[in-house]
Amino acid sequence: MSVRRLADASVQPAAFAFNEANAAAARTWIAKYPKGREQSAIIPLLMIAQEQEGWVTKAAIETICDMLDMPRIRGLEVATFYTQFQLKPVGTRAHVQVCGTTPCMLRGSEKLMDVCRSKIHHDQFHTNEAGTLSWEEVECLGACVNAPMVMIFKDTYEDLTPERLEEIIDQFESGRGAEVPAGPQNGRTVSAPQAGLTSLATEDAVLMAKRAAGTQDAGKAGGGEVPPSNAAKPKTDAPETSAALATPSPQKATSGAEAAAAKKTAKVEKPSLDDPTRPAGIDKPATVDDLKMISGVGPKIEGTLHSLGIYTFAQIALWNDEHRAWVDGYLNFKGRIDRDEWVKQAETLHKGGVEEYVRVFGKKPV
């Protein structure tokens, strides 16, 4: 690991202070630790400072150490040890971290770095002339199956080609980074085989595999437990009648196959747009809320909500049981809206923004 030093004094601000929302978040983090152990909050507080300023300044380290009654040298030790902390100014619109570990290297990460050298700066840890972009090479980012990849702030962009990375950088540079879908960039579903699933492609196949393995929660056919497999048990001289009892009847097997076939061919249909339980939409207002602040809503889901005429927190805050059920079915979320408490999140954001969200949920909105 290279030596990590603070940025030159010429670019260091004279002072640092958390804004109101981040000050509340810092207090929440400090309260998580027992009395006398508040210094354990040093890492989350440094991360909050970095998210606010874009990088970790000397003034921020000193201010946080004073908050935690911690020797400043210990705060400097933490900040300079962990590479997640940026100790120099980075691009205000994108800081591109290119994974250069073996899987990504073998899949072309050096060409991705060449893109960064040509479009941002020849050297790492330098911004472009406008100060909007910067880049660095990092160690494993943890998605080796999807190599090569980069991370921009908190999101990863995988299965990249140099051409696709150029497009992504251009979108961030133009201020449209939020429109870039995170994850694989070649149509792959997370880390699934690129040509599609080759095994366990249906719920029925998964259930059969669990039955064969004898797992305890191997599924319940008709509400009854499926017994564990006897395949690994030693053979005994059990009466023939016992073996006969353990063998499924042909009638049941046929019935199960028919049910599986019917389930496989059944289509999940979206609820009708004309359904009276659909929440009312509105024309796009002059000011649109950032629905991605609701945990569980990403750029793609936000776009779908917009297509339904949902643009504000206030609209979502008014959803009743029927509205939530309709949207949940339309998105095929299987109860996720209630699990993630969209309505409560939207109501909180509508009422008091980020500060109220931190007060209610104990963290900043995503």
Side-chain angles (χ1 to χ4, degrees), residues 12 71 135 137 146 160 164 183 235 241 252-253 292:
Q12 294 282 358
W135 75 279
E137 179 184 356
N146 301 78
L160 287 169
R164 179 56 183 150
K235 295 183 179 180
T241 52
K252 289 185 178 179
K292 297 187 296 298

Side-chain angles (χ1 to χ4, degrees), residues 12-326:
Q12 294 282 358
F16 169 82
F18 285 118
N19 60 36
E20 190 173 352
N22 286 338
R27 290 192 295 271
T28 299
W29 271 105
I30 294 172
K32 292 177 182 286
Y33 298 95
K35 188 159 184 66
R37 302 290 185 182
E38 293 87 354
Q39 294 180 7
S40 299
I42 179 68
I43 289 179
L45 264 60
L46 286 173
M47 286 301 297
I48 294 172
Q50 177 166 283
E51 290 176 2
Q52 176 177 308
E53 302 297 304
W55 59 294
V56 176
T57 66
K58 181 174 182 288
I61 297 171
E62 294 175 345
T63 299
I64 291 171
C65 287
D66 294 344
M67 289 174 61
L68 300 175
D69 193 23
M70 181 179 191
R72 290 182 174 180
I73 185 60
R74 291 192 60 195
L76 285 165
E77 289 171 346
V78 173
T80 56
F81 179 81
Y82 291 104
T83 56
Q84 70 198 49
F85 298 122
Q86 301 296 333
L87 301 181
K88 297 180 180 180
V90 298
T92 55
R93 293 182 178 172
H95 178 64
V96 183
Q97 295 178 302
V98 185
C99 180
T101 312
T102 305
C104 283
M105 179 189 69
L106 294 174
R107 297 277 291 173
S109 63
E110 187 60 39
K111 293 182 179 179
L112 301 186
M113 292 183 222
D114 287 340
V115 170
C116 293
R117 293 184 184 105
S118 64
K119 295 191 72 68
I120 301 175
H121 194 282
H122 181 270
D123 299 318
Q124 303 180 57
F125 305 108
H126 289 75
T127 63
N128 59 353
E129 291 185 3
T132 54
L133 300 172
S134 57
W135 75 279
E136 66 173 308
E137 179 184 356
V138 297
E139 293 303 312
C140 184
L141 290 173
C144 305
V145 174
N146 301 78
M149 64 177 297
V150 304
M151 176 180 282
I152 301 178
F153 300 123
K154 290 184 176 181
D155 290 318
T156 59
Y157 303 86
E158 306 148 18
D159 291 310
L160 287 169
T161 62
E163 295 75 19
R164 179 56 183 150
L165 180 57
E166 287 186 11
E167 295 171 355
I168 291 174
I169 291 174
D170 288 341
Q171 284 190 265
F172 274 93
E173 172 66 356
S174 64
R176 296 183 294 113
E179 299 175 10
V180 182
Q185 301 296 303
N186 62 351
R188 186 206 299 245
T189 300
V190 292
S191 296
Q194 193 160 338
L197 292 177
T198 58
S199 61
L200 301 183
T202 67
E203 291 183 11
D204 297 299
V206 174
L207 179 58
M208 291 175 66
K210 287 184 176 181
R211 285 176 176 170
T215 51
Q216 189 168 357
D217 61 342
K220 298 178 180 180
E225 294 286 350
V226 177
S229 171
N230 292 320
K233 295 182 179 179
K235 295 183 179 180
T236 64
D237 295 329
E240 185 176 346
T241 52
S242 299
L245 288 173
T247 304
S249 68
Q251 291 81 2
K252 289 185 178 179
T254 302
S255 177
E258 291 175 350
K263 183 176 181 179
K264 186 175 182 179
T265 56
K267 293 183 178 179
V268 178
E269 294 186 1
K270 290 185 177 182
S272 170
L273 293 172
D274 297 325
D275 194 307
T277 62
R278 170 189 172 182
I282 61 173
D283 293 333
K284 184 176 182 179
T287 302
V288 175
D289 289 332
D290 183 3
L291 301 184
K292 297 187 296 298
M293 294 176 71
I294 297 175
S295 178
V297 177
K300 184 176 181 179
I301 298 302
E302 182 183 50
T304 302
L305 293 174
H306 286 173
S307 71
L308 297 172
I310 308 299
Y311 294 97
T312 67
F313 298 134
Q315 289 176 272
I316 298 176
L318 295 176
W319 286 357
N320 58 28
D321 292 347
E322 291 183 336
H323 295 152
R324 295 197 305 276
W326 187 91

